[in-house]
Amino acid sequence: MNRVDPTSPFGHKIRPRHRDRLAVVYIRQSTPQQVVSNRESTDLQYQLRQRAVTLGWADDRVLVIDDDQGISGTSVENRPGFQRLLAKVSLGHVGVVFGREMSRLARSCADWHRLLELCALFQVLLADADGVYDPADFNDRLLLGLKGTMSEAELHILRARLHQGKLNKARRGELFTCVPVGYVRVPDGGIALDPDEQVRSVVSLVFATFAELGSLTKTHAYLVANNIQFGLRVYKGPGKGRLVWQRPRRSSLYEMLHHPFYAGAYVFGRCPFDPTRRVPNKPKSGRRVAPPEEWVCLLKDKVPAYISWDQYEQNRRRFAANDLGGGSKGITGRAPTLLNGIVRCGRCGKPMGARNARAGASPRYACDSEHQEYGGPRCQSVVAAYPDRLIEALALKHPTVERAAAVPVADPRLGEKVCLAVMLRAGQTLTPDALLAHLDDAGLSKYDMPEFVLILDDIPLTANGKIRKIDIVADIKNGKLAPLPVRFEQKRASA
């Protein structure tokens, strides 16, 4: 049995119910460099295990969670250790949580107060280098809230200081991370054209071909047909600076023709971060291409150029003229394709995109990412009406469903998501979860599951007896109908 220090000032807070549960020691450093360099800080955090034993926990009842080493505490996302901690607290397995500083646990007030709420609910103590705190006690809660606010404010100050330093360097045209294809960094910190003549020739050929053909698709097809490759420099790792040749990607070609760097201009702020575009669990997502009037700085004639600024402006005007409007994901007058980017290819498993999706046409789902990016062969395609109507047909097999209609719902990331609207038979009831379970039992793939459900009293019909989907779509767009978000949880096989 462990001996408890009778002189401990925290004895009145630590009760037997706390010692009956686990003591969790949470350890985190913000970056991999800190894990390697700041060994003393890591050692001090691991010493909290001994402090837990001193306060009365058995050694085998102390759990060390160090899964988040080298991960920032700005968000709960991508932090498996913190998520594991929240899960154990929610299950009532934890009596106290140790952290060298409260900032080790969370740098975000949202995540910090979520932890405080859970700890107060399940009677879990928090402890750092200064003391032991009870989140259910008003005075301790006030102090913990202040610590969390100071932790977030400290991060804000550090970020603001670093950001202002970056802006100052950018306004001088000296801030570079990696340079575009056809350029290299020189030892004095400047930028020069790639010393390899073939690399420079390919870049010049791209702009000359686009000027002649006037289309990104035709330019890409020309490069693929003639087996012309891009020369790229490895910008990090053991092979840094080494020249490698790769097939031309359509997205890389698009970026090259849009980048003002090739016209000799240094630009900062072309792709600012937009939080509304951020995809969960993808830290690098959320960027958007800003128009020139929103750029932070534009310094012409700052780097060596492949084309003139007038030619760059002419290319931008040509792209604008070639743009016929929203893509296949947009909800315009195009034919509805509910599973764009959701349905997957049965051969290779890749997402299939909508093609020929315009009004009056017969849209298809195509697995052609290899063709789109590299000009390679297409995998396969299928008429879009089949999977769209499959959802409706399977829903109608439920004994309580009288009418069913799969309609699109606007989504800022995917363009559209699937909403299944159903009208039940008189006197019948059906929950959205039960409807999804029926679709699963009927054989609908998890990738094709609707993400919204509408249970309506009436679904309008045309004079010919067909469902007026256009009315449902309009009512959703106008806010008269509010589809219920649903999420299909696949049943796990019992052990």
Side-chain angles (χ1 to χ4, degrees), residues 271-279 282-289:
C271 301
F273 177 72
D274 184 354
T276 61
R277 294 171 176 250
R278 189 173 183 276
V279 181
K282 292 186 178 180
K284 295 185 178 180
S285 63
R287 297 285 178 178
R288 66 177 179 88
V289 179

Side-chain angles (χ1 to χ4, degrees), residues 208-228:
T209 305
F210 182 76
E212 178 183 353
L213 301 179
S215 165
L216 174 66
T217 302
K218 293 179 180 179
T219 303
H220 185 235
Y222 175 83
L223 298 176
V224 172
N226 291 275
N227 196 27
I228 298 174

Side-chain angles (χ1 to χ4, degrees), residues 216 220 223 230 246-255 372-374:
L216 174 66
H220 185 235
L223 298 176
F230 285 164
Q246 295 183 358
R247 293 183 298 166
R249 296 185 59 175
R250 182 186 177 91
S251 56
S252 300
L253 187 62
Y254 180 89
E255 174 65 15
Q372 292 287 330
E373 279 294 300
Y374 298 104

